[in-house]
Amino acid sequence: MSKLRNSFFSKLIVILLLVNIPVVIGMLIFFFQSMSSLKVNAIESIQQNQSELMKTVESDIDYVKQQLFKISNMSDWNELNTSSPGGIHYNGISAINRFRERFQNTMDTSRIFSDVWANIPSANRRFSAKNGLEDFNAEEDNKIRSFYHDYKRVVEWEGRLFIASKSGYLEDVGVNIAAEIDMKKLWQLVETRKSFANEEIIFVFHGNEETYLYNTASELARNLVQSNFAIKNKDLPHNLLIQTSSSLGDFTTYSLVPTDSVYSFLESFYVSMFFVLFCTVAAIVAYFLVVGRLIKRPIRILIDGFKQVEKGDFSTRLERKGNDEISYLYQNFNTMSVKLSDLITENYIKEIYAQRAIYQQLQSQINPHFLYNSFYVLHHMIKEGDNENAEEFSISLSQYYKFLTKNSRSDVLLQEELLHTEVYMNIMKKRYGSRVSIDVHYEDPAILQVEVPRLILQPFVENIFKYGIGYKREILQVVLSIRQVDQELIIRISDNGKGIEDDILEKFKKELLLPDAPSDSAIFNINKRLKIKFGTDYGVSVTNAASGGCQVEIKIPYSSQDTETRGVEACIE
């Protein structure tokens, strides 16, 4: 029985895998796509919150600037400008109260400003919505006035942020109006725009000085600020870095979000998904085990039973409890074994008789052929007057035929077969002299004690002389090598003649495989004998040798006869 390459069980496994693998792959693809989609959505959500934060801050700053513009154009400033350093008169006090009321209204409607004030150098006073009348701060007044020409919406001085642009204000040397941003209010506003609990936000003002708002306890945020944001997103493992700038680019928001925060709310979903995936794989493994027990093992037992029958053991019987399809196959196998045993017992001896008759007939066709060739060679020696060689030739010829007729055994030792071939070579050397050379190679002398069929070497050497000697003007070299490969005996005969033409060689190879190949050639006769005796796996093969001549390879079992055949032949004799 040939080796099973694709078992039924393997096909079941392949079908199951073809059904389940796409499901598993689909789940994995869904997993990675959802992760990617979630990341994109998270980034879009953060960017949206940042944009809303930018709009809120910008709108609040623009609103306060508009209010300051309106306040700067109030006519009440004239009352204050006429004040002296000694004090502010009654009308000036009334004007200040009206200004403070407008300042307070601006403060109440603003989300990020902490104070609005005005410096009055002529009265050496400063009044604000938060603290009322205060002493005039000349240094502050000069510093804020120095920022007028920077055209910045927000400027920084001593850690404080101001609206200090003169754009839209009445440039009056006697009055200086400013508004201060409350860092706490701004940070509280920034905190309300977080998309995730673990999100870190850095708010940056790009004024006359860079001003940063961030959680100083965050090492990652601190490193970003210290590196002036030279660190790129790829340098932040397990974090996302998203930024949004204001319309004028004068302030920027950065958000640092750990990726585990982005995917945290999907953890339970993915735990469930991986549990389903694990159950699917477990189900596949369980299916393999169950199918192996229910199908693969009984089929393997049946296959082993067929192998035993193939080896000739017809006493093999299979037992199985139950009444299923496998039991039916076992019962029919047992019935088949009994019938085969009966048929073999009835026909085996008859087949041996028939094969033996064919074997003897094929062997007898070789002997006359060589006799005719020998007489032809002897005729030429006598005709040429070479009586001494003719005498030695006759002695060698008698030794040759003594080997053929000394007994009726179909098998001889390889040593005897080799000596018989060397006798033939001596005969041919008498005819051709130094033009003939033969080399015999074998590694282990014990190999010569193996039994082989009679006359399987000499006919091939004879063909070499028949077809090769006329072609070679120099020495005709015949090489005979013998070796054992596992449990097979390989005999190779090669020469340095002209070889066989390719079309004829292909024809030989095809005819050697046919059961009814021509029987008038030594190659086909010996090939038939070996296949009848040992089986179709053995016989003769013909190729062209590397040396340029023909090469014949004979393959037979290392033991010439198996025990069973020898016993049957003994019974027949």
Side-chain angles (χ1 to χ4, degrees), residues 327-392:
S327 299
Y328 177 78
L329 291 175
Y330 282 14
Q331 293 171 6
N332 282 271
F333 173 84
N334 295 336
T335 303
M336 179 199 68
S337 298
V338 173
K339 292 183 177 180
L340 283 176
S341 179
D342 293 341
L343 289 173
I344 293 298
T345 303
E346 180 180 352
N347 296 318
Y348 190 55
I349 300 300
K350 293 180 181 180
E351 183 68 20
I352 291 297
Y353 271 115
Q355 289 188 1
R356 189 169 187 181
I358 295 174
Y359 172 72
Q360 291 176 348
Q361 179 183 1
L362 291 173
Q363 183 177 3
S364 66
Q365 292 178 0
I366 297 178
N367 296 338
H369 180 71
F370 176 71
L371 180 60
Y372 301 151
N373 287 339
S374 299
F375 281 141
Y376 181 78
V377 173
L378 184 60
H379 166 74
H380 276 278
M381 286 184 178
I382 296 173
K383 185 177 179 179
E384 294 176 1
D386 191 358
N387 296 330
E388 181 177 355
N389 283 331
E391 179 182 2
E392 294 180 3

Side-chain angles (χ1 to χ4, degrees), residues 93 165 251 299 343 346 421 494:
I93 295 297
S165 173
F251 41 91
I299 291 179
L343 289 173
E346 180 180 352
T421 303
S494 60

Side-chain angles (χ1 to χ4, degrees), residues 513-573:
L513 299 175
L514 299 176
D516 55 348
S519 59
D520 56 350
S521 172
I523 294 176
F524 299 111
N525 285 340
I526 295 174
N527 186 55
K528 280 187 177 181
R529 288 168 55 197
L530 297 180
K531 289 186 179 298
I532 290 174
K533 188 174 183 65
F534 301 116
T536 57
D537 292 337
Y538 301 95
V540 178
S541 61
V542 181
T543 58
N544 281 324
S547 59
C550 179
Q551 177 176 284
V552 176
E553 187 173 275
I554 303 171
K555 182 172 72 172
I556 60 177
Y558 186 74
S559 179
S560 62
Q561 284 187 340
D562 59 312
T563 305
E564 182 180 357
T565 305
R566 186 179 295 114
V568 172
E569 289 186 347
C571 293
I572 294 173
E573 293 177 354

Side-chain angles (χ1 to χ4, degrees), residues 269-429:
F269 170 75
Y270 288 125
V271 169
S272 300
M273 190 187 72
F274 278 112
F275 177 75
V276 172
L277 182 62
F278 173 78
C279 292
T280 302
V281 175
I284 294 174
V285 174
Y287 176 82
F288 291 163
L289 297 176
V290 172
V291 172
R293 182 175 181 85
L294 295 180
I295 298 178
K296 183 180 180 181
R297 184 179 177 188
I299 291 179
R300 174 54 58 187
I301 294 174
L302 183 61
I303 292 173
D304 292 339
F306 275 111
K307 289 181 178 180
Q308 292 300 319
V309 171
E310 185 181 17
K311 293 178 181 179
D313 184 6
F314 300 103
S315 63
T316 303
R317 299 293 182 269
L318 303 180
E319 301 293 337
R320 178 178 173 84
K321 296 180 180 180
N323 191 24
D324 54 10
E325 291 84 353
I326 301 297
S327 299
Y328 177 78
L329 291 175
Y330 282 14
Q331 293 171 6
N332 282 271
F333 173 84
N334 295 336
T335 303
M336 179 199 68
S337 298
V338 173
K339 292 183 177 180
L340 283 176
S341 179
D342 293 341
L343 289 173
I344 293 298
T345 303
E346 180 180 352
N347 296 318
Y348 190 55
I349 300 300
K350 293 180 181 180
E351 183 68 20
I352 291 297
Y353 271 115
Q355 289 188 1
R356 189 169 187 181
I358 295 174
Y359 172 72
Q360 291 176 348
Q361 179 183 1
L362 291 173
Q363 183 177 3
S364 66
Q365 292 178 0
I366 297 178
N367 296 338
H369 180 71
F370 176 71
L371 180 60
Y372 301 151
N373 287 339
S374 299
F375 281 141
Y376 181 78
V377 173
L378 184 60
H379 166 74
H380 276 278
M381 286 184 178
I382 296 173
K383 185 177 179 179
E384 294 176 1
D386 191 358
N387 296 330
E388 181 177 355
N389 283 331
E391 179 182 2
E392 294 180 3
F393 181 83
S394 299
I395 294 173
S396 297
L397 192 61
S398 65
Q399 292 175 344
Y400 176 82
Y401 276 100
K402 182 179 179 180
F403 172 80
L404 295 178
T405 59
K406 67 178 180 178
N407 56 53
S408 61
R409 289 189 301 119
S410 60
D411 295 334
V412 296
L413 295 177
L414 179 57
Q415 183 178 18
E416 297 179 70
E417 182 70 17
L418 188 59
L419 290 174
H420 173 67
T421 303
E422 291 177 347
V423 168
Y424 176 79
M425 287 296 301
N426 290 333
I427 293 173
M428 302 312 291
K429 284 182 179 180

